[in-house]
Structure formats: C-alpha cells, structure tokens
Amino acid sequence: MLSSDRGRPGRAHGPCGAALEGEITDHLGHDKHDPAGRGAGNSRNGSRAKTVLTDVGPVEISVPRDRDGSFEPKIVRKRQRRLSSVDEMVISLAAKGLTIGEISAYLAKVYGAEVSKQAISTITDKVLEGMAEWQNRPLDAVYPVIFIDAVHVKLRDGQVANRPIYLAMAVTVDGERDILGLWAGDGGEGATFWLHVLTEIKNRGVGDALMVVCDGLKGLPQAIETI
C-alpha cells in the first residue's frame, strides 16, 4: 500500500490513490472515459505528483486534476503535508462494516474533512475495486518462506461478531514481507479451505516455497504437499 525506501519517497498505490480517483469522479459526476462526460464542461486534466510524510517515511502520491481547477481533494488537502495511514484506515472502516454515514463522520473527526455521503460511497466503491485488484495480483514464482494462519477480528454483517480472517504472508527472495492474500471465513473452515487458498496462490504464479509455516490443523500438511 504505502512503501518507502530510505532516502527517496515511495509511491502510494491501492486505496489511497483509488480514494482520490473516487473524489474527482464524485466532483465531476462521471467516471474516467465515461461518455457521459463529453461536453460536460469540466473533465479530468491529468494529475500532479505530491510528496507527503507518512508513518513509513515520505511517499509520493498522484493527485488528479480537473481542467477548470475547481477540484479540491478532501482526503489529501491541497496544502496537507502529512498523511497518517489513510489507506489502512479506509480498509479498516470498510472491513468493519461501517455505514457510509459513519465513515463520513470518522473522516470529519480525524481529518476535519467534510465529505458528502455520496462522495464516501464513490470513494469506498473505488477502494473495494482496488482491494479486489490487490487480492488477485500476480505473485512471485518462488518464496523462501510462506506463513499461513488465521486471526480473529470483529466484523459487522448485520451484527458485530468475531470472524476469522485467513492470512497468507511470505518473505520474498529480497527479504521483504509480502501479504499474499486475506480471506474472510465463518469459523468452520478446515484443511479443505486452505487447499482452496493454496490453489489460488499457485494459480497466481507461485511455483514453489522452500518452507511453509503453519499450525497443527489436521490435514493441513497434506494440503500443502498436494499443492
């Protein structure tokens, strides 16, 4: 999501950039390349690079522009120079099932940004699109280590309840941590579920892992060997 190497800014990808795209879509009233925008009087006009400080160091983000200069982003304001984990915050709020109104109120409280409910709806739609792209992105051919496990978090699906989130995390050949994917469950999953997860990881390009670290769930080692 946000990454930074020492001495140079990283680039912001995924939900943060998608949120800005959602904002300008809401501002203009039409999506990129939408025929409805022809002759509308205002349209996208490229983007500009902006470096902001984050919890992981300086990050360069791409801020979309419009032709008449009336677009003023709320998530990353024009003169804002610090960004405090907006991508994690938006994913967290969406994953916990907050309503559009609750997300709007949270942004207002944390950032002082008065974002309309329609704008929040557009932004979260873009975020979900970015999450889907991330979840299905191609993976490396080989990982020295892959860790698979489940963590329990509170999610709201009608009511708040503890739900397991199944996690596959790897260490790359460059020694960097990479989250391969996240899958929500209902708690009744077993080794067969992990078989599907591992098959998905394989289908996304992983050919081998030198070590897979897991718990003692019955049938899990066999599922790993099978894939």
Side-chain angles (χ1 to χ4, degrees), residues 11-43:
R11 289 187 176 273
H13 303 285
C16 183
L20 289 169
E21 277 298 319
E23 280 202 68
I24 195 168
T25 293
D26 184 73
H27 175 72
L28 296 174
H30 54 81
D31 212 336
K32 186 182 291 185
H33 308 308
D34 188 339
R38 295 174 184 172
N42 192 15
S43 60

Short mmCIF file of all heavy atoms in Angstrom, two decimals, residues 11-43:
data_model
loop_
_atom_site.label_atom_id
_atom_site.label_comp_id
_atom_site.label_asym_id
_atom_site.label_seq_id
_atom_site.Cartn_x
_atom_site.Cartn_y
_atom_site.Cartn_z
N ARG A 11 5.94 5.25 -3.41
CA ARG A 11 4.74 5.65 -4.15
C ARG A 11 3.51 5.06 -3.48
O ARG A 11 3.55 3.95 -3.00
CB ARG A 11 4.81 5.16 -5.61
CG ARG A 11 5.83 5.93 -6.42
CD ARG A 11 5.74 5.52 -7.89
NE ARG A 11 6.66 6.31 -8.69
CZ ARG A 11 6.38 7.48 -9.22
NH1 ARG A 11 5.18 8.02 -9.00
NH2 ARG A 11 7.24 8.14 -9.95
N ALA A 12 2.44 5.82 -3.47
CA ALA A 12 1.18 5.37 -2.88
C ALA A 12 0.37 4.64 -3.94
O ALA A 12 0.15 5.17 -5.02
CB ALA A 12 0.40 6.55 -2.32
N HIS A 13 -0.05 3.43 -3.60
CA HIS A 13 -0.87 2.65 -4.52
C HIS A 13 -2.15 2.26 -3.82
O HIS A 13 -2.35 2.49 -2.64
CB HIS A 13 -0.11 1.37 -4.93
CG HIS A 13 1.22 1.65 -5.55
ND1 HIS A 13 1.36 2.12 -6.82
CD2 HIS A 13 2.47 1.53 -5.04
CE1 HIS A 13 2.65 2.26 -7.10
NE2 HIS A 13 3.34 1.92 -6.03
N GLY A 14 -3.05 1.61 -4.54
CA GLY A 14 -4.22 0.99 -3.94
C GLY A 14 -5.24 1.97 -3.43
O GLY A 14 -5.55 2.96 -4.07
N PRO A 15 -5.78 1.75 -2.21
CA PRO A 15 -6.91 2.51 -1.72
C PRO A 15 -6.70 4.01 -1.65
O PRO A 15 -7.64 4.76 -1.88
CB PRO A 15 -7.14 1.93 -0.32
CG PRO A 15 -6.65 0.54 -0.44
CD PRO A 15 -5.46 0.61 -1.34
N CYS A 16 -5.49 4.50 -1.32
CA CYS A 16 -5.30 5.95 -1.21
C CYS A 16 -5.49 6.60 -2.57
O CYS A 16 -6.24 7.56 -2.73
CB CYS A 16 -3.91 6.26 -0.66
SG CYS A 16 -3.63 8.02 -0.40
N GLY A 17 -4.78 6.10 -3.60
CA GLY A 17 -4.95 6.64 -4.94
C GLY A 17 -6.36 6.43 -5.45
O GLY A 17 -6.94 7.28 -6.13
N ALA A 18 -6.95 5.28 -5.13
CA ALA A 18 -8.32 5.00 -5.56
C ALA A 18 -9.30 5.96 -4.91
O ALA A 18 -10.28 6.37 -5.53
CB ALA A 18 -8.69 3.55 -5.22
N ALA A 19 -9.04 6.33 -3.65
CA ALA A 19 -9.92 7.26 -2.95
C ALA A 19 -9.91 8.62 -3.64
O ALA A 19 -10.95 9.26 -3.81
CB ALA A 19 -9.49 7.39 -1.49
N LEU A 20 -8.73 9.08 -4.05
CA LEU A 20 -8.63 10.36 -4.76
C LEU A 20 -9.37 10.28 -6.10
O LEU A 20 -10.03 11.24 -6.50
CB LEU A 20 -7.16 10.73 -4.97
CG LEU A 20 -6.41 11.14 -3.70
CD1 LEU A 20 -4.91 11.23 -3.97
CD2 LEU A 20 -6.92 12.47 -3.16
N GLU A 21 -9.26 9.14 -6.78
CA GLU A 21 -10.00 8.97 -8.03
C GLU A 21 -11.50 8.99 -7.76
O GLU A 21 -12.28 9.52 -8.56
CB GLU A 21 -9.60 7.65 -8.69
CG GLU A 21 -8.34 7.72 -9.52
CD GLU A 21 -8.46 8.68 -10.70
OE1 GLU A 21 -9.52 8.70 -11.35
OE2 GLU A 21 -7.50 9.43 -10.95
N GLY A 22 -11.89 8.40 -6.62
CA GLY A 22 -13.30 8.43 -6.26
C GLY A 22 -13.79 9.84 -6.00
O GLY A 22 -14.91 10.20 -6.37
N GLU A 23 -12.93 10.65 -5.37
CA GLU A 23 -13.31 12.03 -5.09
C GLU A 23 -13.52 12.84 -6.36
O GLU A 23 -14.51 13.57 -6.50
CB GLU A 23 -12.23 12.70 -4.23
CG GLU A 23 -12.31 12.37 -2.76
CD GLU A 23 -11.61 13.42 -1.92
OE1 GLU A 23 -12.10 14.57 -1.86
OE2 GLU A 23 -10.56 13.11 -1.34
N ILE A 24 -12.59 12.71 -7.32
CA ILE A 24 -12.75 13.52 -8.54
C ILE A 24 -13.90 13.01 -9.39
O ILE A 24 -14.58 13.78 -10.07
CB ILE A 24 -11.43 13.58 -9.36
CG1 ILE A 24 -11.53 14.71 -10.39
CG2 ILE A 24 -11.10 12.25 -10.01
CD1 ILE A 24 -10.22 15.06 -11.05
N THR A 25 -14.18 11.69 -9.31
CA THR A 25 -15.34 11.16 -10.01
C THR A 25 -16.62 11.77 -9.45
O THR A 25 -17.52 12.18 -10.19
CB THR A 25 -15.39 9.62 -9.87
OG1 THR A 25 -14.29 9.05 -10.58
CG2 THR A 25 -16.69 9.06 -10.43
N ASP A 26 -16.68 11.86 -8.11
CA ASP A 26 -17.85 12.46 -7.48
C ASP A 26 -17.94 13.95 -7.83
O ASP A 26 -19.03 14.48 -8.06
CB ASP A 26 -17.77 12.27 -5.97
CG ASP A 26 -19.01 12.79 -5.26
OD1 ASP A 26 -20.07 12.13 -5.36
OD2 ASP A 26 -18.92 13.85 -4.62
N HIS A 27 -16.80 14.64 -7.89
CA HIS A 27 -16.77 16.07 -8.19
C HIS A 27 -17.26 16.34 -9.61
O HIS A 27 -18.05 17.26 -9.84
CB HIS A 27 -15.35 16.60 -8.01
CG HIS A 27 -15.18 18.04 -8.42
ND1 HIS A 27 -15.68 19.09 -7.68
CD2 HIS A 27 -14.55 18.59 -9.50
CE1 HIS A 27 -15.38 20.24 -8.28
NE2 HIS A 27 -14.70 19.96 -9.38
N LEU A 28 -16.82 15.53 -10.56
CA LEU A 28 -17.17 15.75 -11.96
C LEU A 28 -18.53 15.17 -12.32
O LEU A 28 -19.18 15.62 -13.26
CB LEU A 28 -16.10 15.12 -12.87
CG LEU A 28 -14.69 15.72 -12.78
CD1 LEU A 28 -13.72 14.91 -13.61
CD2 LEU A 28 -14.69 17.19 -13.22
N GLY A 29 -18.94 14.13 -11.59
CA GLY A 29 -20.20 13.49 -11.88
C GLY A 29 -20.13 12.38 -12.90
O GLY A 29 -21.15 11.86 -13.35
N HIS A 30 -18.92 12.02 -13.31
CA HIS A 30 -18.75 10.93 -14.27
C HIS A 30 -17.38 10.30 -14.09
O HIS A 30 -16.43 10.94 -13.67
CB HIS A 30 -18.93 11.41 -15.71
CG HIS A 30 -18.04 12.58 -16.08
ND1 HIS A 30 -16.72 12.42 -16.44
CD2 HIS A 30 -18.30 13.91 -16.10
CE1 HIS A 30 -16.20 13.61 -16.70
NE2 HIS A 30 -17.12 14.53 -16.50
N ASP A 31 -17.31 9.01 -14.40
CA ASP A 31 -16.06 8.27 -14.24
C ASP A 31 -15.13 8.55 -15.41
O ASP A 31 -15.51 9.15 -16.42
CB ASP A 31 -16.36 6.77 -14.16
CG ASP A 31 -15.39 6.03 -13.28
OD1 ASP A 31 -14.26 6.52 -13.11
OD2 ASP A 31 -15.76 4.96 -12.75
N LYS A 32 -13.88 8.08 -15.27
CA LYS A 32 -12.90 8.26 -16.33
C LYS A 32 -13.37 7.51 -17.58
O LYS A 32 -13.83 6.37 -17.50
CB LYS A 32 -11.54 7.73 -15.87
CG LYS A 32 -10.40 8.01 -16.85
CD LYS A 32 -9.10 7.41 -16.34
CE LYS A 32 -8.58 8.13 -15.13
NZ LYS A 32 -7.24 7.63 -14.70
N HIS A 33 -13.24 8.15 -18.73
CA HIS A 33 -13.62 7.58 -20.03
C HIS A 33 -15.12 7.34 -20.17
O HIS A 33 -15.55 6.67 -21.11
CB HIS A 33 -12.86 6.27 -20.30
CG HIS A 33 -11.38 6.36 -20.14
ND1 HIS A 33 -10.61 7.33 -20.77
CD2 HIS A 33 -10.51 5.63 -19.39
CE1 HIS A 33 -9.34 7.17 -20.44
NE2 HIS A 33 -9.26 6.16 -19.59
N ASP A 34 -15.92 7.87 -19.26
CA ASP A 34 -17.36 7.71 -19.34
C ASP A 34 -17.91 8.65 -20.43
O ASP A 34 -17.66 9.86 -20.37
CB ASP A 34 -18.01 8.04 -17.99
CG ASP A 34 -19.49 7.70 -17.95
OD1 ASP A 34 -20.10 7.58 -19.03
OD2 ASP A 34 -20.02 7.55 -16.84
N PRO A 35 -18.64 8.13 -21.43
CA PRO A 35 -19.20 9.00 -22.47
C PRO A 35 -20.08 10.11 -21.90
O PRO A 35 -20.25 11.15 -22.54
CB PRO A 35 -20.03 8.02 -23.33
CG PRO A 35 -19.41 6.69 -23.10
CD PRO A 35 -18.94 6.71 -21.67
N ALA A 36 -20.61 9.92 -20.70
CA ALA A 36 -21.47 10.93 -20.10
C ALA A 36 -20.72 12.22 -19.83
O ALA A 36 -21.31 13.29 -19.66
CB ALA A 36 -22.08 10.40 -18.81
N GLY A 37 -19.38 12.14 -19.79
CA GLY A 37 -18.58 13.33 -19.50
C GLY A 37 -18.31 14.20 -20.70
O GLY A 37 -17.83 15.34 -20.57
N ARG A 38 -18.64 13.72 -21.90
CA ARG A 38 -18.39 14.51 -23.10
C ARG A 38 -19.29 15.73 -23.14
O ARG A 38 -20.50 15.65 -23.01
CB ARG A 38 -18.62 13.64 -24.35
CG ARG A 38 -17.63 12.49 -24.47
CD ARG A 38 -17.99 11.59 -25.63
NE ARG A 38 -17.10 10.42 -25.68
CZ ARG A 38 -17.29 9.38 -26.49
NH1 ARG A 38 -18.32 9.37 -27.31
NH2 ARG A 38 -16.43 8.37 -26.47
N GLY A 39 -18.66 16.89 -23.31
CA GLY A 39 -19.42 18.13 -23.36
C GLY A 39 -19.97 18.56 -22.03
O GLY A 39 -20.85 19.42 -21.97
N ALA A 40 -19.44 17.98 -20.92
CA ALA A 40 -19.96 18.33 -19.60
C ALA A 40 -19.41 19.65 -19.08
O ALA A 40 -19.85 20.15 -18.06
CB ALA A 40 -19.63 17.21 -18.60
N GLY A 41 -18.41 20.21 -19.77
CA GLY A 41 -17.86 21.50 -19.36
C GLY A 41 -16.62 21.41 -18.52
O GLY A 41 -15.80 22.32 -18.50
N ASN A 42 -16.44 20.32 -17.80
CA ASN A 42 -15.24 20.12 -17.00
C ASN A 42 -14.88 18.64 -17.07
O ASN A 42 -15.74 17.78 -17.15
CB ASN A 42 -15.48 20.54 -15.55
CG ASN A 42 -14.17 20.62 -14.76
OD1 ASN A 42 -13.08 20.64 -15.32
ND2 ASN A 42 -14.28 20.67 -13.44
N SER A 43 -13.59 18.36 -17.04
CA SER A 43 -13.14 16.98 -17.17
C SER A 43 -11.80 16.82 -16.49
O SER A 43 -11.17 17.79 -16.02
CB SER A 43 -13.02 16.59 -18.65
OG SER A 43 -12.07 17.43 -19.31
#
